[in-house]
């Protein structure tokens, strides 16, 4: 793969999140070049390509056939991620997939299989992992500074209006959104729990649709058990007004760390607090979907470029990227069947 030249990028899907990918690519101008975009809605692709001064491909297939494109960013509605990823892998394109990587086990399996067989590099967007505060928290946990982990919780009490769901025919549908507050908004919190606290072995959930006219949940609560023996709570909503920043709290026998979005708000370890910017500024999409920091998308795309240059795996490849979705699917199964579900059970 290229070592000195810039990598050519294409974007498939021209909705809101595609702007974050485009701006990150532009920021990485020494390493990356945005070649063009495609969308099944031609008007959306035309407007997007005009905004960034790049080529508008007639179709996703035409973009995937372009020899100048090395990496494809998949920013389509969630239910289409797998089809586009498999097609990209077959064309030998490296892939960056917006969250969630897929919305069913079959889709996740198809993506893994196609990418493994093609040997392409894949990364699933979990950009919060690239926050310095998140990484410092992980280091502290791994070094045992919290003692034995007792609780690991994620509270994602977001707000989305009915108008938000009505703005796209795919939003709030089982077929294309795959789920509601947890799959769409809450997935980053689930991913951070796995990143910080380790594997989850069982879940028990209650899921409801209380305030929105959608097919999927707007309110969910779940009790989780970790491989370490720790317990935790996951809450995800789009029903709580006015919406509050995501909060991750890790409690141990010797200390506690709490994050709001990607900012540390508690660092109670008895020592080391001087190294942490407690209560620093942060942005939150709790009420406004576009209010997320662009810096972490940039960091994750840079990680993919570095992996291609060095012949290594990106930090969040297709295998790591599916972990949060597998947990979410188990949570949905628990809520549907009204029982504890063990991760990996048939």
């Amino acid at each position: 793969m290229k070592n000195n030249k810039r990598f050519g990028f294409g974007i498939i899907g021209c909705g809101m999140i595609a702007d974050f990918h485009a701006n990150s690519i532009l920021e990485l101008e020494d390493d990356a070049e945005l070649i063009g975009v495609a969308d099944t809605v031609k008007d959306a692709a035309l407007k997007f390509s005009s905004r960034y001064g790049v080529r508008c491909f007639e179709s996703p297939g035409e973009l995937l056939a372009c020899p100048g494109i090395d990496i494809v960013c998949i920013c389509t509605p969630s239910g289409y991620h797998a089809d586009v990823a498999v097609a990209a892998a077959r064309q030998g394109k490296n892939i960056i997939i917006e969250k969630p990587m897929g919305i069913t086990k079959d889709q996740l399996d198809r993506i893994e299989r196609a990418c493994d067989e093609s040997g392409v590099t894949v990364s699933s967007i979990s950009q919060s992992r690239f926050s310095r505060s998140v990484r410092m928290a992980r280091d502290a946990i791994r070094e045992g500074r919290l003692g034995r982990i007792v609780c690991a919780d994620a509270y994602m009490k977001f707000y989305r209006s009915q108008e938000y769901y009505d703005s796209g025919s795919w939003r709030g549908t089982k077929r294309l959104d795959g789920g509601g507050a947890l799959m769409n908004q809450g997935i980053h919190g689930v991913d951070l729990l796995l990143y910080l606290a380790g594997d989850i072995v069982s879940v028990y959930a209650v899921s409801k649709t209380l305030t929105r006219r959608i097919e999927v949940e707007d309110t969910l609560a779940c009790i989780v058990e970790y491989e370490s023996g720790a317990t935790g709570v996951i809450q995800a909503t789009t029903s709580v007004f006015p919406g509050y920043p995501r909060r991750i709290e890790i409690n141990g026998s010797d200390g506690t760390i709490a994050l709001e979005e990607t900012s540390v708000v508690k660092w109670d370890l008895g020592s080391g607090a001087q190294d942490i910017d407690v209560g620093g500024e942060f942005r939150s999409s709790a009420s406004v979907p576009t209010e997320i920091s662009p810096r972490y998308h940039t960091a994750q795309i840079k990680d993919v470029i570095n992996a291609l240059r060095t012949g290594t795996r990106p930090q969040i490849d297709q295998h790591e990227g599916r972990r949060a979705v597998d947990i979410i699917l188990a949570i949905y199964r628990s809520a549907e069947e009204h029982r504890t579900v063990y991760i990996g059970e048939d």
Side-chain angles (χ1 to χ4, degrees):
M1 188 51 72
K2 300 178 179 181
N3 288 317
N4 299 313
K5 296 180 182 179
R6 292 191 298 171
F7 288 86
F9 278 76
I11 296 175
I12 297 178
C14 297
M16 176 271 290
I17 201 63
D19 284 301
F20 288 85
H21 288 254
N23 287 319
S24 292
I25 293 163
L26 294 175
E27 187 171 339
L28 297 168
E29 60 181 351
D30 290 340
D31 299 302
E33 178 186 6
L34 181 57
I35 302 296
V37 300
D39 196 299
T40 55
V41 179
K42 188 61 181 295
D43 187 54
L46 285 169
K47 289 179 180 178
F48 195 93
S49 64
S50 176
R51 187 156 68 247
Y52 291 97
V54 297
R55 179 178 172 183
C56 178
F57 287 88
E58 289 295 321
S59 66
E62 185 185 35
L63 184 151
L64 292 177
C66 176
I69 292 177
D70 305 295
I71 304 170
V72 176
C73 296
I74 300 175
C75 301
T76 64
S78 304
Y80 296 131
H81 287 179
D83 288 343
V84 179
V86 169
R90 288 173 178 166
Q91 290 280 4
K93 305 300 184 185
N94 302 293
I95 302 165
I96 298 172
I97 312 177
E98 256 303 330
K99 58 80 182 170
M101 194 172 90
I103 59 174
T104 67
K105 182 181 183 301
D106 176 68
Q107 289 184 6
L108 297 170
D109 290 344
R110 287 172 55 213
I111 292 170
E112 277 194 317
R113 186 166 55 249
C115 294
D116 288 345
E117 289 174 354
S118 300
V120 298
T121 293
V122 186
S123 188
S124 177
I125 290 291
S126 295
Q127 77 273 16
S128 295
R129 290 197 192 187
F130 291 84
S131 156
R132 177 175 177 269
S133 295
V134 169
R135 294 192 171 203
M136 292 183 75
R138 187 173 191 247
D139 288 344
I141 293 165
R142 287 195 159 191
E143 291 164 6
R145 296 177 62 193
L146 279 69
R148 178 170 184 173
I149 301 303
V150 177
C151 300
D153 310 309
Y155 304 100
M156 301 159 286
K157 296 184 178 181
F158 282 16
Y159 175 81
R160 294 291 184 267
S161 66
Q162 187 63 48
E163 288 72 24
Y164 163 83
Y165 286 107
D166 293 343
S167 68
S169 60
W170 67 279
R171 295 190 186 277
T173 66
K174 291 180 181 179
R175 186 175 73 88
L176 293 179
D177 220 352
L182 186 62
M183 181 71 86
N184 197 314
Q185 286 75 25
I187 188 170
H188 291 300
V190 175
D191 180 72
L192 287 180
L193 286 181
L194 293 168
Y195 186 62
L196 295 172
D199 288 337
I200 292 171
V201 296
S202 71
V203 296
Y204 182 84
V206 175
S207 175
K208 294 179 179 291
T209 308
L210 299 176
T211 67
R212 300 289 169 254
R213 298 186 302 276
I214 54 179
E215 296 176 0
V216 290
E217 86 285 354
D218 62 20
T219 307
L220 182 143
C222 179
I223 298 170
V224 304
E225 181 183 5
Y226 294 87
E227 191 174 77
S228 66
T231 62
V233 172
I234 294 173
Q235 286 189 310
T237 79
T238 52
S239 55
V240 171
F241 183 84
Y244 297 94
R246 179 188 65 224
R247 183 180 180 90
I248 305 290
E249 192 163 303
I250 313 294
N251 309 107
S253 58
D254 297 330
T256 287
I257 294 174
L259 300 157
E260 286 197 359
E261 298 297 345
T262 54
S263 179
V264 173
V265 293
K266 287 187 184 296
W267 188 270
D268 295 331
L269 306 185
S271 64
Q274 67 273 12
D275 299 325
I276 301 297
D277 181 20
V278 176
E281 292 295 323
F282 61 86
R283 296 170 67 175
S284 173
S285 61
S287 303
V288 181
T290 55
E291 280 298 310
I292 60 175
S293 172
R295 74 174 71 173
Y296 303 125
H297 271 82
T298 304
Q300 184 162 356
I301 292 173
K302 177 67 172 177
D303 176 65
V304 173
I305 291 171
N306 289 341
L308 287 169
R309 290 199 191 284
T310 59
T312 57
R313 285 185 176 273
Q315 294 183 39
I316 309 165
D317 64 9
Q318 65 269 37
H319 310 299
E320 186 69 13
R322 72 172 293 165
R323 290 176 68 214
V325 185
D326 282 331
I327 298 299
I328 290 170
L329 293 175
I331 290 172
Y332 286 160
R333 182 175 180 182
S334 171
E336 183 178 346
E337 298 180 4
H338 307 288
R339 67 176 181 90
T340 298
V341 168
Y342 293 88
I343 308 306
E345 70 176 58
D346 293 333

